[in-house]
Amino acid sequence: MRFFLMGLAMFGAGAAQAGTEYWDYKDWHVAAESIDTGEDLRVSCTAWTGGDGMPSLRLEQSNGDAGPPSYYPQPYMHETAARHYPTFLQDGQRVMFEFDADWRTEGFVQAGFTEDGIAYADARAHQGDSLGLLQTMRQAGTLWVTLDGEIAGEFSMSGFTAAYGKMAEQCGFSTQDVID
């Protein structure tokens, strides 16, 4: 038994440690997951609004990724469906990201199944439109993702600026051109 406990203690000392912190800013949420690999500290950040059974609008960035001003986080709509049911959006469909601030851009859907067999669909605008999307998200009240004029997702921008700032702080990237 003593050797077993010593083995567990030694295993625990060498294992990577992880922790996740959460923040809420009005309709937006931020999660920062820190993983100490033993060689460096990796932080993965996600900001999102929506969810709870409905589609969510998300941003993801890691402190190991290229960041602004070279590469801006790419906003995308994420949808899942109950097992054995399809998502509303289907692979390859063209969608529009539209704002109440009279700005819009197109995107396309990538859809498939998770390892657990859950259907998902991610609608992403072109990477080159990320800065424009982020700037407009800061000023707009609502973002709609539409498919042939039908609303696939409606997202509040209330709290976006604070969430983006917290995400930048936690993952170590600049808020230049989006907030500053």
Side-chain angles (χ1 to χ4, degrees), residues 150-175:
E150 189 174 345
I151 296 173
E154 180 177 340
F155 307 101
S156 168
M157 296 297 107
S158 181
F160 167 74
T161 302
Y164 186 83
K166 179 55 88 172
M167 188 176 159
E169 172 190 303
Q170 293 298 308
C171 277
F173 64 89
S174 172
T175 58

Side-chain angles (χ1 to χ4, degrees), residues 8-159:
L8 279 177
M10 290 173 60
F11 175 76
Q17 297 194 7
T20 304
E21 295 183 82
Y22 297 93
W23 298 269
D24 294 316
Y25 300 98
K26 297 184 181 176
D27 295 333
W28 279 79
H29 314 282
V30 177
E33 181 181 18
S34 300
I35 301 171
D36 185 352
T37 66
E39 294 180 22
D40 57 8
L41 181 65
R42 287 283 172 221
V43 182
S44 294
C45 298
T46 304
W48 74 95
T49 187
D52 294 329
M54 300 297 289
S56 61
L57 183 67
R58 298 178 178 211
L59 301 168
E60 296 174 348
Q61 185 78 16
S62 166
N63 67 342
D65 295 338
S70 300
Y71 175 89
Y72 291 89
Q74 184 180 26
Y76 69 98
M77 184 182 109
H78 178 74
E79 173 192 13
T80 59
R83 191 175 303 279
H84 306 295
Y85 286 89
T87 55
F88 176 73
L89 298 175
Q90 298 297 303
D91 195 52
Q93 289 177 317
R94 178 181 177 263
V95 296
M96 296 300 293
F97 289 77
E98 302 182 38
F99 292 94
D100 57 358
D102 293 328
W103 191 87
R104 67 183 185 172
T105 188
E106 74 174 356
F108 291 91
V109 177
Q110 293 177 324
F113 293 90
T114 66
E115 292 175 0
D116 298 323
I118 304 296
Y120 74 90
D122 291 339
R124 296 179 189 269
H126 301 290
Q127 179 58 48
D129 291 338
S130 292
L131 176 57
L133 275 165
L134 294 168
Q135 289 172 333
T136 307
M137 288 168 67
R138 182 165 184 248
Q139 298 169 5
T142 305
L143 164 68
W144 294 275
V145 176
T146 62
L147 172 67
D148 297 328
E150 189 174 345
I151 296 173
E154 180 177 340
F155 307 101
S156 168
M157 296 297 107
S158 181

